[in-house]
Amino acid sequence: MTTTTLEATIAANLAAVRARIERAARAVGRDPARIRLVAVSKTFGPEFIRAAYAAGQRDFGENRVQEALQKMAQTADLSIVWHLVGHLQSNKARKAAKAFPWIHSVDSQRLLAKLDEEALAHGTRPTVLVQVDLAGEPTKFGVPRDQVRALFDVAAACRAVEVRGLMVLPPYTPDPEDARPYFRALRELAADLVAEGVDPRLLEELSMGMSHDLEVAVQEGATVVRVGTAIFGPRASASAEG
Ligand SMILES: *Cc1c(COP(=O)(O)O)cnc(C)c1O
């Protein structure tokens, strides 16, 4: 694809995604401007990121630290807000705390404490979300539902990291309605935590919804949607998931 064709394709895809978000938000009386679109660029090269950037996109998501650092270097001339949406191993916490303004995938007290320590050392203040495992699948990442409350005690004590909400990645099924119970459960969990005394500022964001189910997520209260395929096209390999 030539650069102009790529730019036109991605601009059209982005416009379509933004229109979907707007329609879904308006249908439930929400302000679409309150919903942040993260363009998940994993597996795609910098020319795709530049094309989306030219169409006005500023938030980009990656699921691997190493791949992201490379793209950050390749697009250092752009004002991108980078989001880490994939699983974070604690041996990469230092790099992540330094490089990502948003980390969606904190799933243990230990990782949160480590990120806070590294962010403090580097003088960064990453926005962090807690990934919750609502499916109870042993292969999925995320904090089990019954351990989330304790993690928010650690969150309240963080000095550099700013915990701002919850993230969920439901098991994939083609029917977007199948994701609704997970999205609803995430919203209810946030409300329950506030009712239990957690500072509401720590629970302002709900990161949920992807290419095929973003409408359902927006209807259920998503403040951040993470969209890859609908913007950049199909990925070559499924091994990049999670
Ligand atoms: C890849 C990925 C996405 C985007 O998925 P699409 O179906 O391509 O929109 C969202 N969230 C996470 C955590 C991902 O790894």
Side-chain angles (χ1 to χ4, degrees), residues 40 42 63 85 167 169 210-211 226-229 235 241-242:
V40 180
K42 64 189 183 196
N63 69 338
V85 300
M167 182 273 230
L169 180 60
M210 318 195 338
S211 290
R226 312 176 308 264
V227 179
T229 310
R235 287 179 292 274
E241 300 299 328

Side-chain angles (χ1 to χ4, degrees), residues 14 19 68 75 83 136 147 154 165 214 228 237-238 242:
L14 265 171
T75 58
H83 297 244
Q147 292 169 31
V154 179
L214 70 87
S237 125

Side-chain angles (χ1 to χ4, degrees), residues 27-111:
V28 293
R30 296 189 59 203
D31 177 4
R34 284 280 299 115
I35 299 158
R36 185 185 288 255
L37 169 61
V38 176
V40 180
S41 48
K42 64 189 183 196
T43 79
F44 289 96
E47 67 279 18
F48 286 78
I49 294 167
R50 288 184 184 278
Y53 191 91
Q57 182 62 29
R58 292 295 177 268
D59 289 271
F60 289 85
E62 289 284 335
N63 69 338
R64 292 174 182 214
V65 174
Q66 217 50 46
E67 182 181 341
L69 291 176
Q70 199 181 342
K71 290 181 199 174
M72 285 174 190
Q74 290 164 329
T75 58
D77 55 313
L78 308 181
S79 302
I80 289 178
V81 179
W82 288 100
H83 297 244
L84 180 65
V85 300
H87 178 64
L88 176 59
Q89 287 165 317
S90 76
N91 62 2
K92 303 239 173 77
R94 177 189 304 261
K95 284 177 179 167
K98 208 173 149 185
F100 288 92
W102 281 69
I103 300 170
H104 292 230
S105 46
V106 167
D107 61 359
S108 74
Q109 295 188 29
R110 200 171 141 259
L111 179 59

Side-chain angles (χ1 to χ4, degrees), residues 75-208:
T75 58
D77 55 313
L78 308 181
S79 302
I80 289 178
V81 179
W82 288 100
H83 297 244
L84 180 65
V85 300
H87 178 64
L88 176 59
Q89 287 165 317
S90 76
N91 62 2
K92 303 239 173 77
R94 177 189 304 261
K95 284 177 179 167
K98 208 173 149 185
F100 288 92
W102 281 69
I103 300 170
H104 292 230
S105 46
V106 167
D107 61 359
S108 74
Q109 295 188 29
R110 200 171 141 259
L111 179 59
L112 180 56
K114 182 126 200 272
L115 278 175
D116 192 46
E117 200 178 292
E118 299 292 356
L120 196 65
H122 290 294
T124 57
R125 298 195 66 85
T127 294
V128 159
L129 307 179
V130 173
Q131 183 173 356
V132 185
D133 174 14
L134 294 170
E137 291 173 294
T139 54
K140 281 266 166 180
F141 297 112
V143 192
R145 168 83 175 75
D146 59 357
Q147 292 169 31
V148 175
R149 180 65 187 86
L151 201 143
F152 271 85
D153 288 333
V154 179
C158 282
R159 298 151 298 169
V161 151
E162 302 195 355
V163 174
R164 283 293 173 268
L166 305 175
M167 182 273 230
V168 73
L169 180 60
Y172 179 83
T173 66
D175 183 357
E177 282 301 325
D178 292 344
R180 188 181 297 277
Y182 295 95
F183 298 155
R184 186 167 293 170
L186 198 71
R187 167 165 51 83
E188 289 173 353
L189 173 57
D192 289 350
L193 289 166
V194 171
E196 288 168 28
V198 176
D199 184 341
R201 279 176 310 167
L202 272 54
L203 288 157
E204 281 171 357
E205 307 283 348
L206 294 175
S207 169
M208 56 192 197

